[in-house]
Amino acid sequence: MRGHSDLDKLTGLGHNTPVPSDTLPEISAKSLAGPPTEATAALNPQQLRAVHHGGRSQAGAWTAGPLLVIAGAGTGKTNTLAHRVAHLVLNGVAPERILLLTFSRRAAEEMLRRAHRIVAQVPAAMRRPAFAVVRLPWAGTFHSVANRLLRRYARRIDLEPVFSVMDRGDSADLLDVARHELEFSSKERRFPRKDTCLAVYSHCVNTRLPLNRVLGDAYPWCAEWESELKALFRRYVEAKLAQMALDFDDLLLYWHTLMQDASLAQEVAALFDHVLVDEYQDTNSLQAEILLALKPLGEGLCVVGDDAQSIYSFRAANVSNILDFPSRFSPPARVVKLEDNYRSTQPILGAANRLMAEASRQYQKELRARRATSESAARPRHVTLLDDQAQAQYVVESVLAAREEGVALRRQAVLFRSSHHSDVLELELTRRNIPYVKYGGLKFLEAAHVKDLLAILRWADNPKSRIAAFRVLQLMPGVGPGSADRCWKGFEAGGYDWSALAGFRAPAAATEDWAALLVLLSQVGDASAPWHG
């Protein structure tokens, strides 16, 4: 076990301690040399070090030790990672042997789009024809990749490959059903609501911590219900197993379980020569353990992130994953820092640098603006106000003052962290007759009508999905929770056969809709029917 002083020396962690040059091994001009393209010409030296990390083995394959890219805000992280993908492909790494993990599907799509464009800029004579188009079949979020792997190896970990995946709303609803069955909703003292219960459960899974520790650290107001929550979570897990359903946390949990079997872990790891991870500072303990099981020696493992941008600890993100990454391997992982900012101006970056310097443990970085900055550029102001109302008034008065100085309203923006944070400001703008457009709010897949449609498809795909069935049944006129429960029990007794639904007497108001639903479910739920998608 390394002492803190040794760890700091290796990784450049520590308060006001610069990263020693010997922690960033010299990279020869030959290793930096790559196909001359217009895209790579735009990369700075630090980005090139990250992109061209590694070298050819005696067998001719491109190999690389563990790499950590500390990408400060606005330093071209996405572009660097896309170039890394393109570089691997251009050097003979088969696209299907690359695993790219991101925190959103959009991020994965954007990186692949850029990587394809980079490869296309390389003269045809310098690239392999088979790799002219960059298509990474294993690119996506942790959860989407887990979903695919689990379906492939399901039976070997006692799972059915046809399991359903519940979203957060469905998971909360199923927890609520269990909550009512255990009669916790009728307690004399207020029992935590379904969303809080789900948050506690999720925190336990993703932090790998026991319930009493999670309650004490993050949910102290729920600590008195520890025994009841244990019973609730046990019932919730039993319900998921009975319905062949997994929630988002289960996807990671079962992937982690898969990697605990030595032979299975070796089989999964053998699928990938290179693993690239975006936003590593936002990973939780479960995700970090999965990655270490995939690449225990760090071969081909590249993670990108910024410890200064770790803000999701409330979702179980563990900043120690990125802080301790280099010392997980022997020799330690190479650290490359990106500090040239292409997005902001120096006065803003100066304020950010001062704030970051106060961290007690960090990768020291000094962000530098690549954009020209006027000497008269205003410095950021930190304004403290009494309450939300005073804040709204200050913002509105600042907007009006800027308008009087010639800055049109459409050229002004107010940023906020969450949608509801603008509530008071919106009222003040309306009161003063200031027009505005708000961006953000309810996501498409969270809209009720979309969730209704998806519930029909989920039930048709998995007849045992009680939570989907309850949502669909209550779409029928006159059908409430009681009627839906009676219908479900009859369907369950009939062996989950769609014909069993015909025995349910629907309310008169639902006669026409009920007949149409039965036809739809029998057609969509027929596994032998051709797929026209």
Side-chain angles (χ1 to χ4, degrees), residues 330-512:
S330 180
R334 171 172 288 167
V335 179
V336 176
K337 295 190 295 180
L338 307 184
E339 299 173 287
D340 287 348
N341 180 284
Y342 296 87
R343 186 184 300 160
S344 195
T345 58
Q346 197 58 51
I348 293 176
L349 296 180
N353 289 333
R354 286 290 299 275
L355 286 172
M356 290 189 295
E358 295 299 317
S360 58
R361 188 165 177 246
Q362 60 167 302
Y363 291 97
Q364 291 247 318
K365 64 186 75 69
E366 187 78 14
L367 297 179
R368 302 175 294 267
R370 292 294 292 263
R371 291 174 55 184
T373 303
S374 170
E375 294 184 2
S376 60
R379 297 173 62 185
R381 284 183 289 171
H382 179 205
V383 180
T384 302
L385 297 153
L386 184 61
D387 53 23
D388 285 350
Q389 186 62 46
Q391 177 180 258
Q393 291 177 358
Y394 176 84
V395 170
V396 170
E397 289 168 2
S398 298
V399 167
L400 292 176
R403 177 174 175 269
E404 290 301 314
E405 295 176 2
V407 181
L409 292 177
R410 65 177 177 274
R411 302 290 298 171
Q412 301 186 52
V414 180
L415 306 180
F416 39 86
R417 186 68 195 162
S418 298
S419 181
H420 68 276
H421 289 166
S422 68
D423 292 348
V424 178
L425 176 59
E426 289 182 60
L427 291 174
E428 188 66 17
L429 290 169
T430 302
R431 188 178 72 83
R432 300 206 191 192
N433 197 30
I434 300 175
Y436 67 92
V437 177
K438 181 179 179 181
Y439 297 92
L442 195 64
K443 295 180 180 177
F444 174 74
L445 291 178
E446 294 174 351
H449 63 285
V450 177
K451 289 179 69 69
D452 292 342
L453 174 61
L454 292 176
I456 295 173
L457 296 176
R458 286 197 182 102
W459 192 18
D461 180 61
N462 179 10
K464 293 184 179 181
S465 179
R466 182 182 181 189
I467 198 68
F470 263 58
R471 187 178 189 100
V472 172
L473 291 171
Q474 293 183 76
L475 293 175
M476 299 292 102
V479 175
S483 301
D485 187 55
R486 288 193 298 274
C487 179
W488 172 259
K489 288 178 178 176
F491 180 60
E492 190 177 36
Y496 304 103
D497 191 287
W498 298 118
S499 61
L501 292 175
F504 174 67
R505 178 178 293 181
T511 301
E512 185 176 343

Side-chain angles (χ1 to χ4, degrees), residues 184-221:
F184 292 159
S185 56
S186 58
K187 295 265 186 188
E188 290 185 3
R189 290 176 56 80
R190 181 171 60 90
F191 189 77
R193 299 295 297 271
K194 62 180 182 180
D195 291 325
T196 302
C197 293
L198 181 60
V200 174
Y201 174 84
S202 181
H203 209 84
C204 288
V205 172
N206 289 297
T207 59
R208 314 282 291 140
L209 294 175
L211 177 60
N212 62 342
R213 172 83 177 274
V214 169
L215 292 176
D217 293 348
Y219 300 92
W221 63 93

Side-chain angles (χ1 to χ4, degrees), residues 57-70:
S57 66
Q58 291 182 348
W62 190 272
T63 61
L67 171 67
L68 169 61
V69 180
I70 296 296

